[in-house]
């Protein structure tokens, strides 16, 4: 008996590959819309619900662009996110303001879950991951530099030119700290003098923007980012030029702060409170009171909380808690807080386990992005103490990036090499880790 022809099987494989490609393109489109926010710059788009359209595209890509079998092989972080989404759904009937809770869960948090799942299931090569990282980091660098050039300030503090998550000075500074290591990685991966120059300008602009925002929380997150970047890229990566540049920039930064006494007073107010010249205006005392309120609500509503997005309503202040962890506990109860922290803790563990995979030792691109994502995640963990970010998409993008990079590093080395081509300024040449096999393995340890 003649064997069955293989054409239908090839056609099915091609169809699946096409579906995956379309899903990835939808993910790229969603990322570009979320981070670039074209409605802030193009007249007329403000009346178009671009966010909801982009979310619908991402949801369709997740449903129709990924195979059902792959959805069952999710990493623990994605399963925890799904559990957190289910718990948030359960909190809606018990919320103080049910309509607001429903809107927060469906139109905000669910997008984070979708994007984390989509990145994990669709991104299979380093160059695909790098393109998404490029959109995010380039957008933040662009907003920082243009905001400086436009002198977009309020009461002397730099604000983002966007009207979304990068407008508030504190949010802008914290997000700069999160994306700084990604931009630094693109500088190391860039080929050609022009690209290196542009990334250098972006990095210097981001550093100045953090100072110009006068954000104390942003400075703390930036210091943590700087220390980890110095260790990961300078010491472990054996980049002597980075160590020298850090010393020079450190001296320059101290000089700038000494020449800006108002900034030093702002930092001093972290300890001494609302002192003269700090411009604090009772901010530290107000945040302390909001922290107490969030802890009190968490204690009195331990199971379902007061409802997602309801903290400002129930306190009557219409303000966020300025602390991601306590606000999550107040709005979704202790189960929600535990699940959220478990997601972040699992992502940290995954980064550590990633360093033991074969792909990490043999592929310099995987090492580069692993270091950048670890520094970005650490900055977020610190910055989340001073800002309410649980309904922003930045943390869920990072969780998806880490899970995707882990799966890429788990592939055979041949596939890793094939998927490390040029994308968004990257290259296939060595990134400063040495050329010999012995030196590569020594660096990886």
């Amino acid at each position: 008996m003649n064997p069955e022809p293989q054409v239908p099987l090839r056609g099915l494989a091609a169809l699946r590959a096409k579906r995956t490609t379309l899903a990835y393109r939808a993910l790229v489109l969603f990322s570009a819309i979320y981070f670039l926010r074209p409605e802030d710059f193009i007249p007329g788009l403000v009346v178009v619900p671009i966010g909801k359209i982009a979310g619908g595209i991402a949801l369709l890509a997740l449903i129709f662009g990924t195979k059902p079998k792959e959805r069952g092989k999710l990493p623990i972080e994605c399963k925890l996110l799904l559990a957190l989404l289910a718990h948030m759904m359960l909190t809606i009937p018990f919320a103080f303001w049910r309509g607001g809770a429903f809107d927060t869960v469906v139109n905000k948090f669910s997008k984070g879950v979708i994007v984390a799942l989509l990145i994990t299931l669709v991104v299979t090569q380093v160059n695909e991951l790098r393109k998404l990282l490029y959109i995010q980091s380039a957008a933040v660098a662009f907003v920082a530099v243009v905001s400086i050039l436009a002198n977009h300030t309020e009461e002397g503090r730099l604000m983002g030119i966007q009207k979304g998550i990068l407008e508030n000075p504190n949010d802008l500074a914290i997000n700069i700290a999160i994306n700084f290591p990604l931009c630094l990685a693109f500088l190391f991966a860039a080929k050609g003098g022009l690209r290196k120059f542009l990334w250098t300008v972006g990095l210097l602009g981001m550093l100045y923007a953090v100072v110009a925002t006068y954000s104390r929380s942003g400075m703390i997150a930036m210091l943590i980012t700087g220390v980890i970047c110095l260790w990961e890229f300078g010491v472990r990566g054996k980049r002597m030029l980075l160590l020298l540049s850090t010393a020079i920039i450190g001296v320059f930064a101290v000089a700038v702060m000494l020449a800006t006494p108002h900034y030093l007073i702002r930092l001093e107010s972290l300890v001494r409170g609302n002192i003269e010249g700090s411009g604090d205006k009772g901010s530290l005392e107000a945040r302390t009171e909001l922290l107490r309120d969030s802890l009190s609500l968490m204690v009195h509503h331990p199971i379902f909380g007061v409802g997602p997005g309801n903290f400002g309503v129930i306190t009557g202040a219409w303000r966020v808690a300025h602390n991601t962890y306590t606000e999550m506990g107040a709005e979704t109860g202790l189960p929600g807080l535990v699940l959220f922290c478990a997601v972040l803790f699992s992502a940290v563990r995954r980064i550590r386990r990633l360093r033991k995979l074969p792909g990490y030792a043999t592929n310099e691109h995987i090492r580069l992005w692993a270091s950048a994502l670890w520094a970005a995640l650490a900055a977020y963990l610190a910055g989340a103490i001073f800002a309410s970010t649980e309904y922003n998409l930045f943390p869920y993008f990072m969780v998806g990036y880490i899970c995707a990079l882990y799966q890429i590093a788990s592939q055979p080395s041949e596939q890793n090499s094939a998927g490390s081509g040029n994308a968004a300024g990257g290259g296939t040449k060595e990134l400063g880790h040495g050329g010999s096999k012995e030196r590569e393995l020594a660096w990886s340890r």
Side-chain angles (χ1 to χ4, degrees):
M1 182 179 294
N2 294 329
E4 292 291 329
Q6 298 300 313
V7 176
L9 294 177
R10 293 176 182 173
L12 182 60
L15 178 61
R16 288 175 177 173
K18 185 176 181 180
R19 288 171 58 187
T20 303
T21 302
L22 289 174
Y24 176 73
R25 290 175 179 173
L27 177 60
V28 170
L29 176 62
F30 177 84
S31 299
I33 291 175
Y34 181 75
F35 291 113
L36 295 175
R37 290 185 59 86
E39 65 269 26
D40 291 343
F41 309 103
I42 302 177
L45 281 185
V46 68
V47 299
V48 181
I50 294 182
K52 294 182 179 179
I53 294 174
I57 292 174
L59 179 60
L60 292 175
L62 178 62
I63 296 174
F64 299 106
T66 57
K67 293 182 289 186
K69 291 183 179 179
E70 292 176 342
R71 296 176 209 155
K73 300 178 180 179
L74 296 174
I76 185 63
E77 293 87 344
C78 292
K79 293 178 180 178
L80 289 170
L81 280 175
L82 287 172
L84 180 55
L85 177 61
H87 175 72
M88 283 191 175
M89 288 291 188
L90 290 176
T91 66
I92 294 176
F94 304 93
F96 180 78
W97 177 29
R98 296 185 183 90
F102 179 84
D103 179 72
T104 300
V105 174
V106 174
N107 292 325
K108 294 182 180 179
F109 181 75
S110 65
K111 291 180 183 178
V113 178
I114 291 172
V115 79
L117 291 172
L118 202 53
I119 293 174
T120 302
L121 295 175
V122 171
V123 177
T124 59
Q125 296 182 357
V126 175
N127 60 344
E128 294 176 344
L129 177 63
R130 185 163 49 213
K131 183 179 293 185
L132 295 174
L133 292 170
Y134 177 82
I135 294 172
Q136 174 177 324
S137 55
V140 175
F142 175 80
V143 170
V145 173
V146 175
S147 298
I148 294 171
L149 295 177
N151 193 29
H152 189 61
T153 61
E154 182 175 304
E155 297 182 354
R157 300 182 65 186
L158 182 70
M159 299 179 64
I161 57 172
Q162 288 183 333
K163 291 181 170 52
I165 54 177
L166 299 179
E167 182 180 23
N168 180 275
N170 294 320
D171 293 339
L172 175 62
I174 290 174
N175 283 301
I176 286 175
I178 292 172
N179 287 274
F180 186 86
L182 302 180
C183 294
L184 191 59
F186 274 109
L187 172 63
F188 295 141
K191 296 175 63 177
L194 179 60
R195 287 174 176 171
K196 289 183 180 294
F197 172 76
L198 291 176
W199 282 113
T200 301
V201 170
L203 287 164
L204 293 176
M206 293 167 78
L207 287 173
Y208 176 78
V210 171
V211 176
T213 60
Y214 289 98
S215 172
R216 295 162 293 193
S217 55
M219 178 55 69
I220 293 173
M222 194 69 218
L223 288 174
I224 294 174
T225 297
V227 170
I228 296 179
C229 285
L230 186 61
W231 172 257
E232 290 288 335
F233 296 128
V235 178
R236 297 189 69 172
K238 298 180 180 178
R239 293 182 176 88
M240 295 299 106
L241 181 60
L242 176 62
L243 297 175
L244 179 61
S245 301
T246 302
I248 296 174
I249 293 174
V251 173
F252 177 75
V254 171
V256 170
M257 286 192 291
L258 290 176
T260 314
H262 177 58
Y263 193 77
L264 291 177
I265 296 174
R266 284 280 294 178
L267 295 179
E268 186 180 355
S269 68
L270 278 171
V271 179
R272 298 179 58 188
N274 187 18
I275 58 178
E276 183 179 357
S278 67
D280 186 85
K281 297 181 180 180
S283 172
L284 189 61
E285 289 79 3
R287 292 195 178 200
T288 303
E289 185 63 30
L290 289 170
L291 177 63
R292 293 195 189 102
D293 290 341
S294 60
L295 292 173
S296 176
L297 289 173
M298 194 189 315
V299 172
H300 290 89
H301 304 270
I303 305 301
F304 298 109
V306 297
N310 275 223
F311 176 80
V313 181
I314 201 168
T315 58
W318 288 97
R319 293 180 179 178
V320 295
H322 293 286
N323 186 307
T324 298
Y325 307 108
T326 62
E327 185 170 278
M328 177 65 80
E331 294 188 344
T332 64
L334 292 176
L337 175 60
V338 170
L339 287 170
F340 181 76
C341 292
V343 171
L344 300 177
F345 177 72
S346 297
V348 172
R349 288 188 60 196
R350 189 169 294 275
I351 282 286
R352 295 179 60 184
R353 295 202 307 270
L354 190 152
R355 299 179 188 275
K356 301 177 182 179
L357 296 177
Y360 181 85
T362 59
N363 191 311
E364 71 275 9
H365 299 276
I366 291 177
R367 292 195 295 272
L368 181 72
W369 298 116
S371 296
L373 287 172
W374 162 232
L377 181 59
Y380 173 77
L381 293 174
I385 300 175
F386 308 100
S388 295
T389 62
E390 65 270 29
Y391 305 122
N392 294 341
L393 301 192
F394 273 101
Y396 310 111
F397 267 99
M398 279 194 296
V399 169
Y401 296 150
I402 292 170
C403 292
L405 186 63
Y406 185 90
Q407 293 177 164
I408 293 170
S410 302
Q411 297 173 359
S413 58
E414 294 80 5
Q415 295 185 33
N416 285 327
S417 299
S420 299
N422 183 37
T428 56
K429 66 179 182 179
E430 293 295 323
L431 303 177
H433 304 304
S436 66
K437 186 69 174 179
E438 292 78 8
R439 186 175 177 182
E440 293 286 349
L441 293 176
W443 183 92
S444 68
R445 290 193 291 269

